[in-house]
Amino acid sequence: MEERQPGDDQRPHVDRRGGAGDHEPSAPASASTAPTAVRVARFWPVVSGGAALALVTVLALVLVYRGQDKPFGFEVEYMAGLAANRAEWLTTPALVFNAIGGGLLSTFAVPVAIIGGLLLFRRPWAAGYYLLATVASAALTRVIKVVVARPRPEEILVQPDFGSFPSGHSANAAVTAAALGLIFMRTWVWVTGAVYTVLMMFSRTYLGAHWISDTIGGLLVGAGIAVIVWAPFANRLYREHRMPHPPVWVHLRHRA
């Protein structure tokens, strides 16, 4: 294929599909920013998400079989060690995590802020995916809590709701971290989300609100749901990620 040079306006155009003289109108400049159509591999991510939910099911069955009020031995020792070494410099941030990960903040304020930010920067598919994932995670967590009906530890510093398994705070942290990682596809987002989830899990056991297995169950529920719900959105999210994302006011300013 020959490239046109300045001053070569009379030279016949040659493209890959035809010969000399096949003139076609040039594509609009904005088309150069559109991503090439791709198909995102989803099989193994979906398998991993399904495996996470399968592990939650197995863990729930084990807890029911053992007796809902019988924690594992290592959990009792771990909880006793935490209760004996509580300190103000740990209790205060743990209470902050308790507020962020539950109640009105986690149910309304945080999701509204994230969805609003995604819409503000022209990511409607990401906003829809995140909303669906968080709702599905919260619903599944609630169902498992009711079915398993595991009592909470006794050395508790907060006033949680019913059911210890799985941890709703941990599930919420995991689904948020995984969903944002899948949306933005940046290493720092994954690392930040992983650190936030681990700290949330630790805070739940430190405050005596959950056993370790509860927080692991919450992690598996949140991450598993995030991946499974992502699958039908995968291609749309990838194309949306490749597009420019100026804030909505830039678009409005240009139209004014």
Side-chain angles (χ1 to χ4, degrees):
M1 174 178 178
E2 292 186 43
E3 296 183 1
R4 301 184 64 175
Q5 303 295 329
D8 292 343
D9 293 339
Q10 303 303 318
R11 180 180 298 177
H13 175 67
V14 179
D15 64 16
R16 296 178 183 177
R17 295 171 297 175
D22 292 342
H23 293 277
E24 294 185 1
S26 58
S30 60
S32 62
T33 62
T36 305
V38 296
R39 292 187 62 83
V40 180
R42 292 171 286 186
F43 178 76
W44 288 113
V46 171
V47 169
S48 64
L53 297 185
L55 287 175
V56 173
T57 303
V58 171
L59 185 53
L61 291 174
V62 170
L63 292 175
V64 172
Y65 176 78
R66 285 173 50 87
Q68 292 93 327
D69 59 343
K70 295 180 180 178
F72 298 102
F74 71 90
E75 294 181 308
V76 176
E77 295 179 5
Y78 175 77
M79 187 67 70
L82 284 180
N85 293 279
R86 283 170 176 159
E88 186 67 25
W89 67 275
L90 284 174
T91 302
T92 298
L95 291 173
V96 172
F97 274 91
N98 177 68
I100 295 174
L104 293 178
L105 281 178
S106 69
T107 305
F108 297 106
V110 173
V112 167
I114 292 176
I115 292 171
L118 291 172
L119 292 175
L120 193 65
F121 286 90
R122 306 174 186 278
R123 291 179 180 262
W125 284 101
Y129 157 63
Y130 173 77
L131 175 61
L132 185 58
T134 53
V135 170
S137 176
L140 182 59
T141 299
R142 175 58 58 181
V143 169
I144 299 175
K145 279 178 177 285
V146 173
V147 172
V148 177
R150 189 185 197 187
R152 293 181 183 270
E154 296 180 357
E155 302 258 355
I156 189 168
L157 299 182
V158 291
Q159 297 291 331
D161 58 4
F162 169 80
S164 187
F165 181 87
S167 166
H169 281 65
S170 301
N172 180 62
V175 73
T176 299
L180 293 180
L182 290 167
I183 289 170
F184 292 105
M185 293 186 286
R186 292 287 186 270
T187 301
W188 71 267
V189 176
W190 283 108
V191 172
T192 302
V195 171
Y196 171 69
T197 303
V198 171
L199 290 176
M200 182 64 75
M201 294 168 67
F202 172 75
S203 72
R204 302 314 289 160
T205 56
Y206 175 85
L207 294 172
H210 289 283
W211 303 104
I212 295 177
S213 53
D214 300 334
T215 62
I216 294 175
L219 168 66
L220 294 173
V221 168
I225 287 293
V227 174
I228 289 176
V229 175
W230 163 84
F233 287 85
N235 289 324
R236 293 281 189 177
L237 290 174
Y238 180 79
R239 286 183 57 82
E240 187 176 73
H241 174 73
R242 296 286 303 278
M243 295 296 290
H245 298 103
V248 293
W249 62 79
V250 172
H251 176 68
L252 295 176
R253 184 185 306 162
H254 288 172
R255 292 187 61 181

